[in-house]
Amino acid sequence: MGGVERLCAALRRARKQKKEPQMAERGVIRGKSVVVNNREYKLSIGIDAPLKDGDPVWVQFAEGNTAVVIGV
Protein backbone atom coordinates (compact mmCIF):
# COMPACT_ATOMS: atom_id res chain seq x y z
CA MET A 1 0.00 0.00 0.00
CA GLY A 2 1.42 3.36 -1.04
CA GLY A 3 1.51 6.62 0.90
CA VAL A 4 -1.69 8.02 -0.62
CA GLU A 5 -3.64 4.83 0.10
CA ARG A 6 -2.42 4.80 3.72
CA LEU A 7 -3.41 8.45 4.10
CA CYS A 8 -6.89 7.77 2.69
CA ALA A 9 -7.32 4.77 5.00
CA ALA A 10 -6.27 6.85 8.02
CA LEU A 11 -8.73 9.61 7.07
CA ARG A 12 -11.56 7.06 6.70
CA ARG A 13 -10.81 5.61 10.15
CA ALA A 14 -10.72 9.09 11.72
CA ARG A 15 -14.02 10.05 10.10
CA LYS A 16 -15.69 6.87 11.41
CA GLN A 17 -14.40 7.54 14.93
CA LYS A 18 -15.42 11.21 14.95
CA LYS A 19 -17.76 11.99 17.82
CA GLU A 20 -20.10 14.90 18.25
CA PRO A 21 -18.77 17.59 20.58
CA GLN A 22 -20.06 17.12 24.09
CA MET A 23 -22.17 19.90 25.52
CA ALA A 24 -21.88 20.96 29.15
CA GLU A 25 -24.83 20.11 31.37
CA ARG A 26 -26.14 21.72 34.53
CA GLY A 27 -25.93 19.80 37.79
CA VAL A 28 -26.02 20.27 41.56
CA ILE A 29 -23.31 19.19 44.00
CA ARG A 30 -24.50 16.64 46.58
CA GLY A 31 -21.66 15.68 48.93
CA LYS A 32 -18.90 14.01 46.90
CA SER A 33 -21.07 13.60 43.83
CA VAL A 34 -23.06 15.71 41.38
CA VAL A 35 -26.67 15.18 40.31
CA VAL A 36 -27.48 15.79 36.64
CA ASN A 37 -30.96 15.02 35.27
CA ASN A 38 -31.84 13.03 38.43
CA ARG A 39 -28.76 10.79 38.03
CA GLU A 40 -25.83 10.80 40.42
CA TYR A 41 -22.23 10.84 39.15
CA LYS A 42 -18.82 10.77 40.82
CA LEU A 43 -17.46 14.30 41.17
CA SER A 44 -14.19 15.60 39.76
CA ILE A 45 -13.33 19.29 39.85
CA GLY A 46 -11.60 20.89 36.88
CA ILE A 47 -11.71 24.50 38.11
CA ASP A 48 -10.32 26.46 41.03
CA ALA A 49 -13.43 27.68 42.83
CA PRO A 50 -14.88 27.21 46.30
CA LEU A 51 -17.72 24.70 45.94
CA LYS A 52 -20.11 23.42 48.56
CA ASP A 53 -23.08 21.09 48.82
CA GLY A 54 -26.08 22.42 46.87
CA ASP A 55 -24.08 24.63 44.48
CA PRO A 56 -25.26 24.58 40.86
CA VAL A 57 -22.41 23.75 38.45
CA TRP A 58 -21.71 23.07 34.77
CA VAL A 59 -20.22 19.63 34.07
CA GLN A 60 -18.91 17.52 31.23
CA PHE A 61 -18.74 13.75 31.46
CA ALA A 62 -15.53 11.72 31.47
CA GLU A 63 -14.81 8.00 31.44
CA GLY A 64 -15.73 5.97 34.46
CA ASN A 65 -19.12 7.60 35.10
CA THR A 66 -17.44 10.80 36.33
CA ALA A 67 -18.76 14.34 35.96
CA VAL A 68 -16.02 16.99 35.72
CA VAL A 69 -17.00 20.44 36.99
CA ILE A 70 -15.99 23.02 34.38
CA GLY A 71 -17.91 26.06 35.60
CA VAL A 72 -20.21 27.55 38.21
Side-chain angles (χ1 to χ4, degrees):
M1 186 185 310
V4 173
E5 289 87 10
R6 282 195 300 257
L7 176 61
C8 289
L11 290 172
R12 278 192 296 276
R13 280 193 308 274
R15 187 175 44 189
K16 286 180 183 177
Q17 295 175 354
K18 183 180 176 185
K19 296 180 179 177
E20 293 296 319
Q22 184 187 33
M23 303 299 289
E25 294 192 41
R26 198 72 163 151
V28 177
I29 294 179
R30 296 281 183 244
K32 295 185 187 255
S33 61
V34 63
V35 177
V36 179
N37 296 328
N38 294 324
R39 293 192 64 195
E40 191 170 323
Y41 299 91
K42 290 185 280 185
L43 177 64
S44 177
I45 300 174
I47 61 169
D48 185 21
L51 299 173
K52 62 184 183 307
D53 195 35
D55 283 347
V57 292
W58 288 100
V59 299
Q60 282 191 319
F61 298 102
E63 293 179 13
N65 202 31
T66 302
V68 180
V69 175
I70 59 168
V72 290

